[in-house]
Amino acid sequence: MQREPSILIIGAGFAGLGMALELQRHGLTNFTILEKAADLGGVWRENTYPGAACDVPSPLYSWSFEPKSDWPRRFSQQRDIHEYMRAVADKHGLPQRIEFGTEVTDAEFDERAGVWRVRTTDGVTHIADILIPAVGQLSRPAMPNLPGIDSFTGAAFHSAEWDHSVELTGKRVACIGTGASAIQYIPRIQPKVAHLTLFQRSAAWVLPKWDTEYSALHHALFKHVPVTRLAERFAIWTYFEVMALALTDIPPIKVPVIALADRHRRTQVPDAELRAKLTPDYAAGCKRGLFSNEYFPALAQDNVHVETNAITEVTPHGIRTADGVEHAVDVIIYGTGFKGTEFLAPMHIYGQGGRKLADEWSAEGARAYLGMSVPGFPNLFMMYGPNTNVGAGSIIYMLESQARYIRQAAQYLGAHPGRFISARAEVEQSWDDWLQHRLKDTPWNFCSSWYRNASGRITNNWPGMTALFRWKTSTFKPSDYDEQQVAR
Ligand code: NAP
């Protein structure tokens, strides 16, 4: 390498930290992480709702190069995952490389100097050869656009901004949303509230969760006989890869999975009327499949009502539904998800010729070569960019693929100082054509979810096995990129 490139990473979640670790492991140390919050962790710092946990087992939902042999459970709680991230970051000296409390407002590529100028809320301009936004897809809570939402006089909060100062014991609580977040906190709060009304717009596909507490024997085996740990990781990975095939290439695999979900509902919800409400009316796999053994039993309790009439307004004292009924409640919890299709917002990113990234994406939605590079935006590589989310599998596996690829790009730029590169337009177009072709027949087309934007384009999901993405991103090919040399 002739000159080590300077690198700015935005975000200290799994993506940003993983990127930093990959660079460091390959001797690239000229990087800084800008993090808007006061702590690292991304979604695992933000989401502290009761029962917050990961529904991807930890042996796979962890960095391959930083295995942990003493996870308390197979499906870890938020606290344990956050602690793991902190421990790995500390071990590798990353906190010293993070500028906390530093939020990026905009970034502009300076063609004359071949560098990114990145402005932050403290008024500082950071300069770097390479910019790596690693801000996730699920970092900005989405509130529903309901009439009267501000008129409510009780406590109200979003699941990702859980207000722990609000005591739920003995209260009448409204829960809006039936996604992966809600399914985790509803069973935790149901026993303590006086009454819980679940406002369900769509019933969820729910599968049993094969959780287990790891014993001292597990921990000893995982530590001293690493092949046992690797075997479990491999088994979990294979299971999710088969699920990914069910969503894309081999739909018949879904048949036994649907049967399992149906049986789970039948055995856990004896009441036929309630079971009918909780039976999805859309294709399995369209929204994210959920895993829980506690969700249905919680909904079957006497202090719970599942309301399927649409919400028409929020009133000062509750929620009104389309049948005219006003449901009086003390607290409203919005489990209404995230602005997943608004990639990189609210940052303003300007590429060559002052082109604004949000404008490039305004017609159809976000798109990028390999989910990482956009023509005309040189030396910018996104982590967890467009079409890199998984319908089944571990996002950390996907992020590791991206980090390896971007590290190779950084090494290439280090070997060719003064050059800047962005995906060739025709390469990006044929990538997008291939993606759209593969996405065409996936179940994600048949309902609305955070995987699709308002125009109906699936901007978030990767259509295939994670192994396919790893293969596609295994080697950085300079020929896929337009190159320019900084004028001297
Ligand atoms: P989500 O999956 O987007 O679910 C949002 C829910 O809110 C949906 O049920 C949606 O209904 C409902 N909703 C939105 N607006 C509404 C309105 N106006 N009226 C009634 N209902 C409304 O959000 P999430 O549960 O926070 O999960 C988001 C993603 O975070 C997940 O897909 C997953 O990738 C990630 N996550 C992962 C884990 C994990 O264990 N790994 C845990 C939590 C979250 P519709 O379905 O009808 O739109």
Side-chain angles (χ1 to χ4, degrees):
M1 192 167 315
Q2 292 195 16
R3 185 175 76 83
E4 203 181 315
S6 56
I7 301 172
L8 273 178
I9 299 169
I10 310 174
F14 262 116
L17 296 175
M19 186 70 240
L21 292 169
E22 173 72 16
L23 292 171
Q24 212 162 254
R25 273 150 36 91
H26 289 82
L28 291 160
T29 54
N30 190 6
F31 65 83
T32 302
I33 304 177
L34 305 178
E35 167 56 56
K36 70 176 177 186
D39 188 11
L40 55 79
V43 293
W44 297 107
R45 176 198 62 235
E46 293 295 299
N47 286 269
T48 61
Y49 57 77
C54 187
D55 60 13
V56 178
S58 295
L60 185 62
Y61 196 86
S62 47
W63 285 300
S64 61
F65 49 86
E66 279 296 346
K68 178 174 161 71
S69 51
D70 59 350
W71 288 109
R73 316 187 62 83
R74 182 178 286 145
F75 291 89
S76 291
Q77 304 288 308
Q78 171 262 342
R79 198 183 332 104
D80 297 317
I81 299 169
H82 197 194
E83 250 168 45
Y84 165 77
M85 297 174 84
R86 283 212 193 96
V88 174
D90 285 345
K91 177 177 162 191
H92 294 279
L94 289 187
Q96 295 91 290
R97 317 300 303 273
I98 304 174
E99 290 191 18
F100 290 106
T102 306
E103 183 170 0
V104 172
T105 54
D106 50 273
E108 189 180 348
F109 188 69
D110 177 341
E111 283 182 70
R112 277 164 45 117
V115 294
W116 281 94
R117 299 189 188 280
V118 177
R119 276 175 289 277
T120 49
T121 39
D122 52 8
V124 175
T125 299
H126 303 253
I127 297 173
D129 298 315
I130 300 175
L131 180 62
I132 306 177
V135 296
Q137 296 187 3
L138 299 166
S139 58
R140 302 176 65 223
M143 289 293 279
N145 188 13
L146 294 170
I149 193 162
D150 294 328
S151 71
F152 184 62
T153 52
F157 50 85
H158 188 277
S159 62
E161 295 165 341
W162 196 275
D163 186 343
H164 292 276
S165 71
V166 175
E167 182 50 72
L168 298 177
T169 305
K171 299 275 170 58
R172 296 165 302 171
V173 177
C175 289
I176 305 180
T178 56
S181 302
I183 201 171
Q184 292 183 339
Y185 58 76
I186 285 172
R188 294 300 173 97
I189 65 172
Q190 172 273 322
K192 57 161 85 166
V193 304
H195 192 266
L196 190 154
T197 309
L198 172 60
F199 293 86
Q200 173 189 278
R201 194 163 63 180
S202 315
W205 282 98
V206 184
L207 288 163
K209 185 170 178 177
W210 289 306
D211 199 4
T212 188
E213 210 170 307
Y214 288 133
S215 64
L217 179 64
H218 281 109
H219 292 160
L221 270 176
F222 292 158
K223 184 166 181 194
H224 300 295
V225 193
V227 70
T228 55
R229 182 178 44 71
L230 287 170
E232 190 178 24
R233 179 177 161 93
F234 182 70
I236 297 163
W237 179 79
T238 307
Y239 168 80
F240 280 116
E241 291 294 75
V242 172
M243 290 301 118
L245 284 176
L247 293 169
T248 52
D249 298 282
I250 315 179
I253 298 175
K254 272 200 307 197
V255 175
V257 183
I258 291 170
L260 181 64
D262 288 342
R263 205 185 74 166
H264 191 49
R265 195 184 320 106
R266 258 195 328 273
T267 51
Q268 290 209 315
V269 191
D271 179 78
E273 196 183 328
L274 178 61
R275 197 165 62 243
K277 282 186 187 176
L278 298 176
T279 303
D281 60 359
Y282 57 90
C286 182
K287 297 175 198 282
R288 194 172 187 277
L290 308 179
F291 300 86
S292 177
N293 304 329
E294 303 163 325
Y295 177 65
F296 286 147
L299 298 185
Q301 299 305 308
D302 287 342
N303 66 339
V304 178
H305 169 66
V306 178
E307 179 56 62
T308 53
N309 283 299
I311 299 172
T312 50
E313 64 169 332
V314 179
T315 66
H317 303 292
I319 291 176
R320 193 182 309 280
T321 41
D323 53 0
V325 174
E326 183 180 7
H327 304 260
V329 294
D330 305 306
V331 182
I332 302 178
I333 302 172
Y334 293 96
T336 44
F338 300 87
K339 298 175 182 170
T341 55
E342 296 178 12
F343 289 82
L344 305 192
M347 296 183 294
H348 302 288
I349 312 279
Y350 301 92
Q352 286 181 284
R355 287 156 59 189
K356 193 172 176 187
L357 189 53
D359 293 342
E360 302 290 308
W361 286 345
S362 64
E364 284 182 302
R367 48 187 275 177
Y369 177 52
L370 303 173
M372 293 187 259
S373 178
V374 180
F377 292 79
N379 296 4
L380 175 118
F381 298 94
M382 273 172 282
M383 295 283 286
Y384 202 5
N387 296 104
T388 61
N389 180 59
V390 281
S394 168
I395 193 61
I396 297 178
Y397 188 92
M398 294 290 279
L399 293 172
E400 280 190 32
S401 303
Q402 293 155 42
R404 291 174 191 196
Y405 182 90
I406 296 170
R407 182 258 305 157
Q408 292 176 55
Q411 287 170 323
Y412 178 81
L413 289 168
H416 302 87
R419 256 182 232 187
F420 50 89
I421 59 170
S422 65
R424 284 169 45 208
E426 62 275 26
V427 169
E428 193 273 343
Q429 185 60 54
S430 72
W431 170 257
D432 192 62
D433 292 344
W434 176 81
L435 266 185
Q436 296 311 316
H437 176 71
R438 284 189 63 82
L439 286 164
K440 197 161 49 68
D441 296 324
T442 61
W444 305 316
N445 289 298
F446 302 106
C447 69
S448 68
S449 74
W450 66 270
Y451 300 157
R452 301 167 86 199
N453 66 9
S455 70
R457 182 182 164 97
I458 300 165
T459 50
N460 293 63
N461 278 8
W462 167 247
M465 297 197 295
T466 59
L468 178 65
F469 185 78
R470 176 140 309 180
W471 175 64
K472 291 273 183 194
T473 55
S474 58
T475 311
F476 169 78
K477 294 192 196 79
S479 57
D480 287 343
Y481 286 79
D482 280 327
E483 293 198 12
Q484 278 171 268
Q485 183 75 34
V486 176
R488 291 189 190 277

